[in-house]
Amino acid sequence: MALARIFVFTFLFLVLALALLSSAAEGAPRRPQRGSKSRRNSLKAPRRPTRKGLRRPRVKSTRSRPVFKAPLPPPPLFIGSVVDARTYGATPDGQSNRKMWHFRCSNHLFACMQAFNQAWNAACASNGPSKLLIPPGQYYAGEIFFQGPCKNPMTVQFQGTILADPNADQYQENQGIIFENLEGLIVNGGGTYDGQGGVQTWKNGRSGVMPVSIKFQKVRNGAVRDINLVNSKGFHMTITSCTNFLAERLKITAPAESPRTDGIHISRSNGVQVLNSVIGTGDDCISIGDGSTDVKVIGITCGPGHGISIGSLGKLLEQSVKGVYVAHSTLSNTQNGLRIKTFHDSPRIEASGITFEDITMKDVKNPIIINQNYQSNKNQGVIKFLQIYCATYASYVKISDVHFRNVRGTSVSNVAVTLDCSSANPCEGIELADIDLALSPNAPKKFPLSATCSNAKIFSRGKQNPPACR
């Protein structure tokens, strides 16, 4: 019995061993037979490199195979960087870009259609403060629109010269450049906007409204510096519905014979400052219109032109003017000096809290003037009749709390101080302090200087040349 068991176990062991040896033999690599092609290739010596160097291994072409490429990410926005208008196709040759340029920050209107439009949109959509650069060179342009709102404050570095289309009929919106609906704006760079106004344009402008060179409208916390404006067809610059706006170191020039070419016109704005600028045009150097409050005009060189004016007020349904300070300025060869002007038959609004201080006059006509019968000289007989027999025809703009202090220099008109106030709403609180005006050697008539007052309640102190009227 024991021998049988030993026999069985021995048999099973041998069977298992044979099975293991068989499986190992099947998995081992076969040795090539003598004389076979594979054996000859395996025994070849490695190929020697040529004199030209080692040959590169041949790589199979993949042109015929479809290659998957991941989509490119969108280009990064301009974060605190400069957007050069030339990158988008603006050509500074003085001839290109003759069509209307629209600079709009909008996803659906004129998107990516024109060079400056694309540049403005890129800068306006930036995630950080951005600058739009208009490089040196001459650009020929029609109407240009820089409109917001933008994501962050904007800077426009205006270094080149823009030549406006001389044809006034091409301006559908009556403006050359408009900056509108922006929060945080700086315009600088020393560039020039040439309105290309001329004798014929200005002749036509006497009977119609001409395009404004640069408009700032609905801009909060803005500034324009070191810009030159030349020969506008209409007003050179308007600041309308703006808050906390600074204009400084501007140079604005046009011939004395160019009508309605005011240098800077301010209206319906609060906290506007105009500083250290040189302005000479054919109309008011600076005019402050209705709805203006907390306005400062300091360090202005004015002339030629019509002086520094508040108004005209009362022509339409308008708002009051309050808080105007004009100081440390010089007026030369202007038709008026410091002026407040209102229309007759006006709405009931006010002009108050106004100070003119430390002003130098050089050969100025009408150095100090309040005129509440503005433009009535065109029909003096009719106006006089209406004023006498129709009380409602008078001006209802209430002028009060007005101060003329330390005004000195020369006058070319014999009446140096004119206070012609409304018969229906007399002026009140008019101060004349330290007025020292002399007749200019260039005056056409050699009569002593005088002052004239009508419907004005005044008080005077200090030097009075000419003697203050009562």
Side-chain angles (χ1 to χ4, degrees):
M1 198 63 185
L3 291 173
R5 290 179 178 177
I6 292 171
F7 177 79
V8 171
F9 282 121
T10 303
F11 178 79
L12 293 173
F13 177 78
L14 292 174
V15 171
L16 180 60
L18 289 173
L20 291 173
L21 289 174
S22 176
S23 62
E26 290 177 0
R30 295 182 179 180
R31 185 176 181 181
Q33 297 180 1
R34 183 180 297 273
S36 67
K37 186 176 180 180
S38 60
R39 178 176 176 84
R40 287 196 304 270
N41 291 339
S42 64
L43 296 178
K44 273 186 179 181
R47 190 171 184 177
R48 292 184 180 182
T50 63
R51 293 183 180 180
K52 295 182 179 180
L54 294 172
R55 292 184 179 179
R56 295 180 180 179
R58 182 176 295 177
V59 179
K60 292 184 179 180
S61 174
T62 58
R63 292 181 182 178
S64 60
R65 298 180 183 179
V67 179
F68 173 77
K69 291 185 179 181
L72 295 175
L77 296 176
F78 296 91
I79 301 176
S81 60
V82 177
V83 182
D84 191 331
R86 294 174 300 184
T87 306
Y88 292 82
T91 307
D93 59 5
Q95 295 296 326
S96 300
N97 311 309
R98 290 179 178 267
K99 296 181 180 180
M100 184 186 296
W101 290 350
H102 289 272
F103 299 68
R104 296 182 185 269
C105 185
S106 171
N107 293 327
H108 61 277
L109 186 62
F110 300 104
C112 301
M113 289 181 63
Q114 295 177 341
F116 277 89
N117 187 358
Q118 297 176 30
W120 172 258
N121 284 341
C124 188
S126 171
N127 287 328
S130 190
K131 178 188 293 184
L132 173 62
L133 174 63
I134 302 177
Q138 288 189 336
Y139 303 83
Y140 190 100
E143 292 182 300
I144 302 172
F145 296 81
F146 289 119
Q147 294 177 313
C150 294
K151 287 187 176 181
N152 287 283
M154 286 289 300
T155 297
V156 177
Q157 191 165 3
F158 177 17
Q159 297 177 338
T161 297
I162 292 181
L163 303 175
D165 188 334
N167 186 357
D169 295 333
Q170 297 299 318
Y171 295 80
Q172 299 177 5
E173 302 295 332
N174 264 333
Q175 66 212 6
I177 302 175
I178 184 170
F179 295 89
E180 185 178 27
N181 198 21
L182 296 166
E183 171 79 31
L185 170 70
I186 296 175
V187 180
N188 58 18
T192 298
Y193 185 92
D194 186 347
Q196 299 211 87
V199 175
Q200 188 61 42
T201 303
W202 294 321
K203 182 179 179 181
N204 295 338
R206 293 183 183 276
S207 58
V209 178
M210 288 289 107
V212 177
S213 287
I214 296 182
K215 283 186 178 181
F216 294 94
Q217 188 165 306
K218 297 181 181 179
V219 176
R220 180 182 293 271
N221 301 323
V224 54
R225 301 184 177 97
D226 305 309
I227 297 298
N228 307 299
L229 303 178
V230 181
N231 294 337
S232 179
K233 299 177 184 65
F235 288 9
H236 284 80
M237 179 183 294
T238 60
I239 302 170
T240 305
S241 301
C242 294
T243 304
N244 297 331
F245 192 92
L246 171 64
E248 64 176 341
R249 299 191 299 272
L250 306 180
K251 187 174 182 181
I252 302 174
T253 56
E257 298 76 21
S258 56
R260 298 185 180 181
T261 55
D262 293 37
I264 301 174
H265 179 72
I266 304 165
S267 63
R268 307 206 173 195
S269 298
N270 175 260
V272 174
Q273 298 184 64
V274 182
L275 310 177
N276 306 321
S277 297
V278 178
I279 305 174
T281 68
D283 213 301
D284 294 334
C285 293
I286 298 174
S287 55
I288 301 169
D290 78 295
S292 300
T293 58
D294 189 21
V295 176
K296 293 181 174 61
V297 177
I298 301 173
I300 304 302
T301 300
C302 169
H306 293 184
I308 298 174
S309 299
I310 295 175
S312 53
L313 303 176
K315 187 174 184 179
L316 302 172
L317 185 60
E318 298 177 343
Q319 301 175 10
S320 297
V321 174
K322 295 183 179 180
V324 177
Y325 182 71
V326 179
H328 313 301
S329 298
T330 299
L331 290 79
S332 303
N333 300 301
T334 56
Q335 292 189 19
N336 298 284
L338 309 172
R339 177 169 59 161
I340 302 174
K341 50 182 176 175
T342 74
F343 285 97
H344 38 71
D345 193 22
S346 67
R348 296 179 182 273
I349 60 175
E350 297 181 13
S352 61
I354 300 166
T355 299
F356 300 98
E357 185 173 35
D358 193 19
I359 306 295
T360 300
M361 306 280 185
K362 297 180 179 179
D363 290 357
V364 172
K365 184 179 180 181
N366 304 319
I368 296 175
I369 178 171
I370 295 177
N371 181 5
Q372 291 207 261
N373 295 293
Y374 181 60
Q375 288 192 347
S376 62
N377 59 336
K378 294 182 178 180
N379 297 288
Q380 289 185 357
V382 175
I383 299 300
K384 194 69 175 178
F385 175 84
L386 290 172
Q387 287 176 340
I388 294 173
Y389 295 101
C390 185
T392 58
Y393 199 73
S395 176
Y396 280 91
V397 178
K398 180 65 176 182
I399 297 177
S400 63
D401 189 21
V402 179
H403 308 271
F404 298 93
R405 298 170 178 166
N406 192 23
V407 180
R408 59 195 179 274
T410 57
S411 170
V412 294
S413 59
N414 297 109
V415 179
V417 178
T418 301
L419 305 178
D420 183 14
C421 297
S422 170
S423 58
N425 217 353
C427 299
E428 295 182 349
I430 309 300
E431 178 189 18
L432 298 172
D434 297 317
I435 307 300
D436 189 10
L437 296 170
L439 187 66
S440 169
N442 300 318
K445 297 181 180 180
K446 308 299 182 183
F447 296 109
L449 284 185
S450 63
T452 178
C453 304
S454 176
N455 305 311
K457 297 179 181 179
I458 72 168
F459 62 96
S460 60
R461 61 183 178 84
K463 183 179 291 187
Q464 295 295 317
N465 288 324
C469 52
R470 299 295 177 183

